Amino acid sequence: MPSRRSALPALIVTGVYVAAVAVAVVVATATGDLAPLWRLTIMRDPDAGETGSDVPIAALTAVPWAWALWQVLRGPLETAPRDEEEPRVRRARFSLYAAAATTLLLHPIPTPWPGWAEVISALSMWAVVVLIHPVLVRPVLRPRLKGAELIRSAGALGFGGTTVVALLDLTGLPDIGLLYLVIAVATLAWTVLVLRAQRDDDGRWRPGTVAYGIAALVTPWLGLLVPAVLAMSGTPVESGWTLIGGVGALAGALQVVWLARSGHDLAAPVSRPVPVTG
């Protein structure tokens, strides 16, 4: 059976994280100091209304982060010989790993992110947009327009717009309100189209990778539903901040897993050449 070369280091790092969370849970339970646990799991400082009753939710949030660390660090299951790996595949893998690492490292920064963090995140995903394009299949989504070209256009608009917004924030210039809607729609379209391309390319990406991508796409909407559910039940929204933060952390962890697994899947040798998309 094939094995992952980085499995032991990944297990050690993940184990250290789990141990740190366990210590933080003990500290939160014994002393009421929630800050260490919140910073390790929900990735922010606790709000004034959050108490020890929220500790189980915060502790559970460590599960997707531990899984994300394991998925990122364990490496691909199979790796093609370096002299047989196409340069475009190698570049796509590097961009996916860089974006996964960027998301993992920037997530602990308190929201809303400062402009420089937004710029780094947007640029890392911009690289994915450009470099994953040549290794995607070409589903025909509309007459005279190749699917891969539509994917690249949506990604350029979405993450290019995010970069513009972040630069406006850094320079202190006023934001363009309509641009936020354009960015959201373009980013959503890019993600959906990439997932469709991954699903349709049977010999390249594993079904589990696509499933993680779909989960990462859907999960943020659950966070938007939490305040509505609390309001309908008559519960103060402030009491749900921990749950909302946990959903946000779950979405971030799923995004990291999808990016990393996409890179891992590209490393595997294939029995047919990667389709050229221009």
Side-chain angles (χ1 to χ4, degrees):
M1 295 292 290
S3 61
R4 300 179 190 271
R5 292 177 299 176
S6 303
L8 182 58
L11 185 62
I12 293 173
V13 173
T14 304
V16 170
Y17 172 75
V18 171
V21 171
V23 172
V25 169
V26 172
V27 170
T29 304
T31 68
D33 184 4
L34 306 179
L37 179 60
W38 259 241
R39 289 168 185 160
L40 284 170
T41 58
I42 301 180
M43 308 296 180
R44 62 168 172 80
D45 290 324
D47 293 328
E50 292 171 320
T51 63
S53 61
D54 297 309
V55 168
I57 297 176
L60 285 174
T61 306
V63 175
W65 284 122
W67 186 246
L69 284 172
W70 165 251
Q71 290 284 322
V72 171
L73 298 175
R74 67 179 182 169
L77 182 61
E78 300 175 87
T79 305
R82 186 168 181 82
D83 57 348
E84 296 180 10
E85 186 179 39
E86 296 186 55
R88 58 198 173 112
V89 173
R90 191 179 304 119
R91 290 191 294 266
R93 287 182 61 208
F94 179 82
S95 69
L96 288 163
Y97 290 150
T102 298
T103 304
L104 192 62
L105 294 174
L106 290 180
H107 205 82
I109 297 175
T111 53
W113 279 357
W116 63 266
E118 290 280 7
V119 170
I120 293 175
S121 177
L123 289 177
S124 70
M125 288 304 299
W126 175 276
V128 172
V129 169
V130 173
L131 297 175
I132 201 176
H133 171 264
V135 298
L136 289 174
V137 296
R138 296 186 290 181
V140 179
L141 301 181
R142 65 171 65 177
R144 300 182 183 179
L145 183 61
K146 296 176 181 178
E149 294 173 352
L150 183 58
I151 292 172
R152 182 165 58 180
S153 299
L157 184 59
F159 296 107
T162 303
T163 305
V164 170
V165 169
L167 291 174
L168 289 175
D169 182 61
L170 281 176
T171 57
L173 295 175
D175 294 335
I176 304 173
L178 182 60
L179 188 56
Y180 287 102
L181 178 60
V182 174
I183 290 171
V185 173
T187 303
L188 177 63
W190 178 82
T191 307
V192 170
L193 292 171
V194 169
L195 288 171
R196 175 179 171 177
Q198 288 183 318
R199 183 203 64 188
D200 292 343
D201 188 1
D202 294 333
R204 175 60 74 180
W205 282 278
R206 300 172 188 270
T209 298
V210 179
Y212 276 111
I214 295 172
L217 181 66
V218 172
T219 301
W221 298 98
L222 300 179
L224 297 177
L225 291 176
V226 171
V229 172
L230 291 175
M232 287 188 296
S233 65
T235 305
V237 176
E238 291 77 9
S239 63
W241 287 135
T242 303
L243 182 57
I244 295 172
V247 172
L250 173 62
L254 289 171
Q255 177 79 359
V256 170
V257 173
W258 175 54
L259 292 168
R261 283 180 61 109
S262 294
H264 294 340
D265 290 351
L266 279 176
V270 293
S271 58
R272 58 181 174 79
V274 180
V276 179
T277 59

